Amino acid sequence: MFKQLRNIDTAFQHIKRFSLFLIGANVLTMCFCIWKSYSIVEEAQKRVHILYNGKVLEALASDRKLNLPVELRDHIKSFHQYFFNLSPDEKAIQAGITKALYLADESAKQAYDNLREQGYYNNLISANISQEITVDSIKVDVNSSPYSFTCYATEKLVRSTSTVFRKLVTQGQVRDIKTQTDNNPHGFLIQHWETLVNTDVDPKAVKQ
């Protein structure tokens, strides 16, 4: 009888150990499945599909922080091109300025109003002067938000009789408004924008 009890106790111990092992294996399996599921979802979120020329293409999304300097410089460059690329046509000027003002705050609107009150745009139209800008470099401090920047550019004013080049230096800050739209694809806003330098330069000193 005692031998039978020992056999029962031994069998119970075996069943207990097997049950604990089975429970532990199930817990580990569930943890692995959960981790793997999150990994798959995260990997899927990094892949985006874009429509280009009627074709669906797969692209790999990256952390915005890695592209932040590139996006900031492109936003600043786009603003300056919209604001300073001017044709001797009132509608063309208004269209460019409208696009620029979507990318900046009231400081840009104030600069535009000042130029308009001074008759700058009317002079371009009456004299058939076209103005082009080339952004030479943009320095951006990405260590703290809002991001301070300095933009170095060259303006080219083409008249029927001559061509004038100007050195342009502006500065300001860029704030992340965390909202991307068709008019503001990067979701940034230039603020406290001002012109530091806008003077004529020798055409020979300008790289063509």
Side-chain angles (χ1 to χ4, degrees):
M1 183 176 178
F2 289 106
K3 184 176 181 180
Q4 185 178 3
L5 290 175
R6 283 196 301 270
N7 291 337
I8 294 174
D9 184 64
T10 302
F12 177 77
Q13 294 296 330
H14 284 307
I15 294 173
K16 182 179 179 181
R17 284 193 293 268
F18 178 76
S19 299
L20 292 175
F21 172 78
L22 188 61
I23 292 173
N26 287 335
V27 170
L28 291 175
T29 302
M30 290 181 61
C31 291
F32 174 78
C33 291
I34 294 173
W35 171 78
K36 192 65 177 178
S37 298
Y38 276 110
S39 299
I40 292 174
V41 171
E42 185 177 357
E43 187 67 23
Q45 289 177 342
K46 291 181 179 180
R47 297 187 178 278
V48 295
H49 292 83
I50 57 177
L51 185 65
Y52 179 73
N53 288 340
K55 297 180 180 179
V56 177
L57 304 177
E58 184 177 291
L60 189 64
S62 60
D63 190 345
R64 193 183 190 190
K65 291 182 179 179
L66 299 177
N67 293 327
L68 182 60
V70 176
E71 290 194 46
L72 287 170
R73 285 193 294 268
D74 188 68
H75 182 89
I76 296 166
K77 181 179 179 180
S78 296
F79 165 76
H80 283 79
Q81 289 176 335
Y82 288 141
F83 196 92
F84 290 104
N85 281 339
L86 304 173
S87 300
D89 181 274
E90 184 177 357
K91 290 184 178 179
I93 291 174
Q94 189 60 47
I97 295 298
T98 299
K99 291 180 180 179
L101 295 182
Y102 278 114
L103 308 181
D105 69 354
E106 68 276 1
S107 59
K109 178 65 164 58
Q110 184 63 49
Y112 164 68
D113 289 340
N114 290 339
L115 290 173
R116 186 181 59 180
E117 290 174 3
Q118 295 168 9
Y120 184 79
Y121 301 108
N122 288 334
N123 291 336
L124 291 179
I125 296 171
S126 61
N128 283 323
I129 300 173
S130 61
Q131 178 176 291
E132 302 174 6
I133 186 175
T134 300
V135 176
D136 301 316
S137 64
I138 300 173
K139 294 183 178 179
V140 184
D141 182 7
V142 297
N143 294 321
S144 60
S145 179
Y147 311 105
S148 301
F149 74 88
T150 304
C151 178
Y152 302 87
T154 302
E155 288 178 293
K156 179 181 178 181
L157 284 79
V158 181
R159 298 181 174 90
S160 58
T161 57
S162 63
T163 300
V164 176
F165 291 92
R166 288 179 179 170
K167 177 183 179 182
L168 176 69
V169 181
T170 67
Q171 71 176 13
Q173 296 177 333
V174 181
R175 175 166 55 91
D176 189 351
I177 58 177
K178 304 183 186 304
T179 302
Q180 296 173 310
T181 65
D182 291 338
N183 295 316
N184 190 341
H186 292 298
F188 295 127
L189 193 71
I190 293 175
Q191 59 186 25
H192 307 305
W193 180 65
E194 59 180 338
T195 299
L196 301 179
V197 178
N198 192 1
T199 57
D200 292 352
V201 296
D202 187 351
K204 298 179 180 179
V206 178
K207 295 182 180 179
Q208 299 294 325

